[in-house]
Amino acid sequence: MTAALHDDNPAPGEWTTDALDRLPDDGRRRELLDGQLIVSPSPTRLHQSIAMLLGAALQETCPAEFDVTQGVSVRMSHSRSLIPDLLVTELDAAARNPSSYLPQEVLLVVEIVSERTRSIDRVLKPALYAEADIPFFWRIETEAGIVVHAQRLDPVKRVYVEHARMSDGILLADPWEMDIPLDRITPRSR
């Protein structure tokens, strides 16, 4: 247990977003999965550099009705709250300056796969984002160079279907038209 988690906090499996909101703002990345508190390890420099560079590139290309941010939670229910590495939301929702978004305010979530959270980034989070009806999901792999897996929600099956796998650059028509060279999101020391 860390100093931030005391005896007066909920038992495992009983965490809610209200309890999560009562924790100190100490920079820890805390998520909820069906009442279970998940505290993620600190991301690596490579992970954070890609997130920063991709976020800037998306902000430059996105239409005026959207906003790009990182590290803000998506509250899916009272017992489920996830924090994507990057997310694109409706500008009206972003104008509230929220600490969390509702799934219907989110257009795109991006997860950069980390060695310590591979299964969560590749399997669990996409399934939960799809269940929440978030239209687009990107998974970025970094093991053998940078590879962007762009996925679109199948609204009937509520699963993501890959519509592009890109290792040279991000060239897409959806969720908006963009052409981002891969070197634009590649950290200098990669």
Side-chain angles (χ1 to χ4, degrees):
M1 289 276 167
T2 66
L5 301 177
H6 301 288
D7 292 335
D8 58 343
N9 284 319
E14 296 179 6
W15 279 85
T16 65
T17 54
D18 292 335
L20 191 66
D21 289 341
R22 288 192 296 271
L23 291 174
D25 186 9
D26 57 7
R28 290 191 171 105
R29 189 179 186 109
R30 296 182 180 99
E31 298 175 291
L32 286 183
L33 178 58
D34 300 331
Q36 298 288 337
L37 180 65
I38 300 170
V39 181
S40 300
S42 295
T44 64
R45 185 207 66 75
L46 175 65
H47 181 281
Q48 291 302 87
S49 294
I50 291 170
M52 177 185 66
L53 294 168
L54 179 58
L58 289 174
Q59 185 69 35
E60 289 171 7
T61 65
C62 79
E65 65 266 21
F66 299 121
D67 183 65
V68 179
T69 192
Q70 64 182 48
V72 180
S73 67
V74 178
R75 297 274 169 101
M76 300 166 175
S77 71
H78 198 57
S79 63
R80 196 177 279 174
S81 179
L82 300 177
I83 303 173
D85 293 319
L86 286 168
L87 60 162
V88 177
T89 66
E90 297 171 351
L91 185 60
D92 290 343
R96 296 190 329 262
N97 194 28
S99 60
S100 65
Y101 289 99
L102 297 173
Q104 61 268 25
E105 298 171 320
V106 180
L107 175 68
L108 166 69
V109 290
V110 179
E111 292 292 346
I112 301 165
V113 176
S114 296
E115 185 176 328
R116 294 176 283 190
T117 59
R118 266 188 234 137
S119 296
I120 292 170
D121 295 337
R122 291 178 179 160
V123 179
L124 182 62
K125 282 189 169 184
L128 297 174
Y129 294 140
E131 186 178 303
D133 294 323
I134 295 173
F136 294 92
F137 171 76
W138 292 2
R139 186 182 79 243
I140 299 180
E141 298 282 348
T142 61
E143 288 177 347
I146 296 175
V147 180
V148 179
H149 299 261
Q151 301 177 23
R152 179 183 298 126
L153 182 67
D154 176 328
V156 175
K157 296 180 181 176
R158 294 179 84 191
V159 297
Y160 289 111
V161 178
E162 187 168 282
H163 66 99
R165 181 179 300 186
M166 301 159 286
S167 57
D168 295 328
I170 302 170
L171 182 61
L172 294 170
D174 291 322
W176 63 84
E177 196 167 316
M178 66 184 83
D179 183 358
I180 302 170
L182 194 64
D183 63 357
R184 174 74 172 82
I185 67 166
T186 303
R188 290 181 180 165
S189 66
R190 179 64 175 163

